[in-house]
Amino acid sequence: MNPENFTALEKKQFAKLQKKLRHETGKAIVDYNMIEDGDRVMVCLSGGADSFTMLDILLQLQAAAPISFDIIAVNLDQKQPGFPEDILPNYLENLGIEYKIVQKDTYSIVKDKIPEGKTTCSLCSRLRRGILYNAAVDLGATKLALGHHADDIVETLFLNMFHGGKMKTMPPKLISDDKRNIVIRPLAYCRETDIKAYSAFKQFPIIPCNLCGSQENLQRQAVKAMLSQWDEANPGRVNNCFNAIRNVVPSHLADTNAFDFVNMDLERADELTEFDTAFDNEIEMIPVEDAKAGVEKFDPSEAITVIEL
C-alpha cells in the first residue's frame, strides 16, 4: 500500500511503527556487529511477513548507514504443489534489487521420509538451511540474514528447556555448523506483533507456509500460546524473558562448564560480580513501563528489589 493513501491517523501509526522497527533492527545490528563495511548480505526471503519486513528494513538502513554493504535477496523454491513461482520474482524486480531464486525439490524428499500425518517442519527446515548455506557460499555472501524475531527466540528457549533439557536458543549471531557462514538475525529485538502490523501496512504479497499440507510444529505452537497468555495477563513478560537471555549470571545457575563451582572459595570472591543475598526470597523486577517499552530498553541498573512477594 502506498503511504500516500493512508489516512492521517494511519500515516502517524505507520511512521511510529516504521521508526520503532528501524531503531530495534539498527540497535541489534550494532550490538552484535552483524553487518560490517563491505559485507555482502544474503537476505533469506521465504515469502512470510518476517522475511519481507527484514528485507524492507535492511534496505532502508542500507540507504542511511554510514557504512557500505550489498544486499542480495534469495528465495528457495522447494517445489511444493501450488507454490506461486511468480510472486517473489515480480516483487523483487519491482524493487530493483539483486536476487536469486534457488530451486530444489525438497518437497519430494520430505514426503518420502516423513510418514503421512506427521509434521514435516523439522526435516524441511534442516534441508532448507543446508541449501541456503551452500547458496551463500556460491553467491559470495559474507553474512546470511534470517528473519527470526524476539518471540521466536524466546519460544526456542522454552522449547529447549521443556523438550531438550538445555538453556539454549537462537542467538542473534552465530557461525553455521558447516563453519562457512556467519548467520545473523537482524530482527532479534523486534516483536512479532509489530512485524505483523508493519506487514499489514505494507501489504506484502505473503506466501503461506502450508503449501505442503504439513501440520504446524505443535510443540512450538503450544509454547507460543503459553507465552501469549502470559503476556496478556502480565504485559511485558515476553520482553522480560528476552532480557533474561541477554543478562545471564552463570554463577547463579548450575552449569559446571559455564562457571567453576569446584574451585570456588573465599580467596576468589573478588573475582565474582554476583553474590548470594541475605534473603532467598528477594528477586529483581524490571519496571513495568520498561518491560512494555521494548526488548532493547531495559537497563539492569534500574531494577528494583521486591521483598516478600
Side-chain angles (χ1 to χ4, degrees):
M1 180 185 293
N2 188 337
E4 295 299 322
N5 298 326
F6 290 169
T7 64
L9 177 60
E10 288 173 335
K11 287 181 179 179
K12 183 177 180 180
Q13 292 172 334
F14 174 74
K16 182 178 180 180
L17 184 58
Q18 185 179 55
K19 181 179 179 181
K20 181 181 181 184
L21 289 172
R22 284 181 59 163
H23 168 72
E24 291 171 341
T25 303
K27 190 172 191 310
I29 290 171
V30 171
D31 285 352
Y32 296 94
N33 193 29
M34 291 185 188
I35 299 176
E36 301 170 88
D37 192 47
D39 268 341
R40 179 170 166 82
V41 182
M42 182 178 120
V43 176
C44 298
L45 190 64
S46 66
D50 303 340
S51 61
F52 271 121
T53 298
M54 174 175 64
L55 176 61
D56 188 87
I57 297 297
L58 284 179
L59 287 171
Q60 295 178 45
L61 294 177
Q62 181 191 39
I67 62 172
S68 175
F69 63 94
D70 295 327
I71 289 176
I72 176 171
V74 172
N75 169 255
L76 173 58
D77 178 356
Q78 298 177 266
K79 298 303 177 184
Q80 296 108 319
F83 182 78
E85 297 182 359
D86 61 318
I87 287 181
L88 290 176
N90 289 342
Y91 177 80
L92 295 168
E93 287 283 351
N94 287 333
L95 283 181
I97 66 170
E98 184 180 1
Y99 73 91
K100 172 77 173 178
I101 306 296
V102 179
Q103 300 189 18
K104 295 286 183 180
D105 187 5
T106 62
Y107 173 81
S108 298
I109 298 173
V110 169
K111 284 300 182 183
D112 180 63
K113 300 295 183 183
I114 304 295
E116 190 68 29
K118 298 292 184 180
T119 180
T120 62
C121 298
S122 179
L123 177 57
C124 180
S125 177
R126 291 199 301 273
L127 291 172
R128 183 170 63 246
R129 193 66 58 84
I131 293 168
L132 291 173
Y133 285 168
N134 288 334
V137 173
D138 292 342
L139 294 170
T142 55
K143 303 287 172 58
L144 188 154
L146 301 177
H148 299 117
H149 45 67
D151 295 76
D152 290 324
I153 292 172
V154 174
E155 289 164 15
T156 303
L157 171 69
F158 281 98
L159 281 169
N160 279 314
M161 288 172 60
F162 293 163
H163 302 287
K166 291 183 178 180
M167 292 194 70
K168 170 185 174 182
T169 188
M170 301 171 172
K173 180 181 179 182
L174 77 159
I175 294 177
S176 61
D177 55 10
D178 63 7
K179 300 179 181 179
R180 296 185 300 163
N181 298 281
I182 295 178
V183 178
I184 59 174
R185 295 183 168 95
L187 300 183
Y189 288 176
C190 302
R191 292 299 306 272
E192 183 177 23
T193 51
D194 291 334
I195 292 170
K196 286 184 174 180
Y198 187 77
S199 177
F201 269 121
K202 296 285 289 188
Q203 292 191 343
F204 295 129
I206 304 297
I207 298 174
C209 186
N210 59 1
L211 295 173
C212 58
S214 173
Q215 300 174 15
E216 292 184 275
N217 185 322
L218 299 182
Q219 293 175 347
R220 181 171 289 276
Q221 291 305 310
V223 169
K224 182 185 286 290
M226 177 192 75
L227 293 174
S228 178
Q229 291 172 2
W230 284 2
D231 224 20
E232 183 176 352
N234 300 275
R237 180 163 285 188
V238 172
N239 284 349
N240 290 352
C241 290
F242 186 89
N243 283 318
I245 297 170
R246 299 179 63 221
N247 292 283
V248 178
V249 184
S251 65
H252 280 47
L253 296 175
D255 187 345
T256 56
N257 293 316
F259 185 81
D260 187 4
F261 292 98
V262 174
N263 295 308
M264 178 190 289
D265 56 41
L266 293 177
E267 292 181 0
R268 299 180 58 207
D270 290 341
E271 299 176 15
L272 302 179
T273 58
E274 296 278 348
F275 302 90
D276 196 17
T277 55
F279 300 97
D280 287 340
N281 62 345
E282 285 193 357
I283 63 171
E284 289 184 336
M285 295 289 292
I286 298 173
V288 172
E289 62 273 16
D290 285 342
K292 292 179 179 178
V295 294
E296 85 292 343
K297 185 179 178 182
F298 174 57
D299 181 351
S301 67
E302 298 177 353
I304 59 175
T305 300
V306 178
I307 303 176
E308 298 179 352
L309 292 177

